[in-house]
Amino acid sequence: MEYLDSLGVLGPDVIAAHCVHISPSEWKIMADRGVTVSHCPCSNMKLGSGRFPYEEAIRSGCRITLGTDGASSNNSLSMFDEMKCAALLAKVSGDPSILPAEEVFRWATVNGAEAFGIDGGVIAKGKVADAMLIDLGKPAMTPCHHLISNLVYSADSSCVAAVLCDGRIIR
């Protein structure tokens, strides 16, 4: 990151994938330049790339998103899997409170939309009308004591009843 910064290429239009071997000083550089980080937990595990430094990444203030990488290093390309793996891997450090479900859900929704300049990621007036309708009757969604926790820790594509893009049902 120091070299990329010396070339002047780091800025808010950069999305840096993986970032498992970034020093604390490099996290500061990325945060100062407004770089977005795309964490790809399933790919990192499959390739044995190393553990994403959750504590340092969160502390840095960088915008963090979730990604799947590609089919050669992540066969399912499922954002549900990415949310679950990210949340669980963060806790391997021994701190079950790190990366709560709400935060990892934000990484997958609002932060992802913001990284691409999309005015979305939340359901609100004036925002892009993209959404998934979730079937709360699916086994993975019951019991539903906490919707976001269910979406992060147990939902899969079978729970998706419909997908809306720009307000139109496409599935």
Side-chain angles (χ1 to χ4, degrees):
M1 285 300 157
E2 290 170 356
Y3 178 66
L4 292 173
D5 190 45
S6 74
L7 296 175
V9 299
L10 297 181
D13 59 340
V14 172
I15 300 174
H18 303 286
C19 295
V20 294
H21 302 290
I22 302 293
S23 71
S25 63
E26 290 172 315
W27 279 107
K28 180 172 179 0
I29 290 169
M30 292 191 306
D32 289 347
R33 302 296 179 263
V35 171
T36 294
V37 173
S38 182
H39 175 35
C40 306
C42 293
S43 172
N44 291 344
M45 287 190 293
K46 184 175 180 182
L47 297 175
S49 300
R51 181 182 177 271
F52 184 73
Y54 292 91
E55 301 82 358
E56 189 65 38
I58 293 167
R59 194 171 30 252
S60 76
C62 283
R63 177 191 300 132
I64 304 169
T65 66
L66 289 177
T68 61
D69 199 5
S72 62
S73 64
N74 181 341
N75 302 72
S76 73
L77 303 176
S78 167
M79 286 303 289
F80 287 113
D81 290 349
E82 299 304 323
M83 287 191 297
K84 180 177 182 175
C85 287
L88 293 176
L89 277 172
K91 292 159 182 39
V92 170
S93 68
D95 181 359
S97 67
I98 190 170
L99 195 55
E102 293 84 3
E103 183 66 15
V104 77
F105 187 74
R106 180 176 179 80
W107 289 7
T109 56
V110 175
N111 289 9
E114 287 176 353
F116 287 100
I118 298 168
D119 190 19
V122 295
I123 298 172
K125 185 177 179 178
K127 300 291 185 180
V128 174
D130 294 348
M132 290 187 306
L133 302 180
I134 303 296
D135 182 348
L136 300 179
K138 292 290 185 178
M141 298 305 292
T142 56
C144 195
H145 301 298
H146 191 270
L147 178 61
I148 298 296
S149 288
N150 278 24
L151 288 170
V152 169
Y153 291 110
S154 54
D156 59 29
S157 62
S158 73
C159 299
V160 179
V163 176
L164 288 81
C165 286
D166 201 20
R168 293 188 345 253
I169 296 175
I170 61 169
R171 172 185 178 235

